[in-house]
Amino acid sequence: MDDVIRRRALVHGTVQGVGYRFSTEGEADRLGVDGFVRNRSDGTVEVEVEGTPEAVGQLLAWLEEGPTGADVSRVDVEELAPTGEGGFETRR
C-alpha cells in the first residue's frame, strides 16, 4: 500500500442542501477512489478519501469548488493512515 494515501477533508461554506454529497460520490467513483462523504451537524461536509496520490489530489482539488450551488469557503485537510477500505459511500 505504498502507493496509497488517505486524507480527511472538512469542507466549510454553503455545502449542505446543494447536492454536495451526491456530487462528491460521483466524482469519487469517476476517479476510482475509496472512502466516504457525510454531512456534519456543524454545517460542514466531511470527506475521507483513499487512493493513489494523484487521484486523491484530484478529488481534494474538486472539493474546493464542489457542485453548482455550493459556495466553498475553505477545505481543511489532514493526513490519515490508509485503511484498505473498498468503495466510496455516502453516510448519514
Side-chain angles (χ1 to χ4, degrees), residues 17-52:
V18 294
Y20 200 95
R21 290 179 301 158
F22 176 79
S23 297
T24 299
E25 185 171 354
E27 189 67 10
D29 289 345
R30 185 185 74 77
L31 293 168
V33 294
D34 302 316
F36 67 86
V37 59
R38 67 178 167 197
N39 285 343
R40 292 170 37 117
S41 61
D42 63 2
T44 62
V45 169
E46 178 182 11
V47 180
E48 285 195 19
V49 57
E50 183 171 316
T52 65

Side-chain angles (χ1 to χ4, degrees), residues 4-8 31 33-34 49-63 77:
V4 173
I5 64 171
R6 187 176 187 92
R7 299 291 183 266
R8 176 183 295 130
L31 293 168
V33 294
D34 302 316
V49 57
E50 183 171 316
T52 65
E54 180 180 349
V56 169
Q58 288 177 353
L59 185 64
L60 292 175
W62 183 88
L63 294 176
V77 179

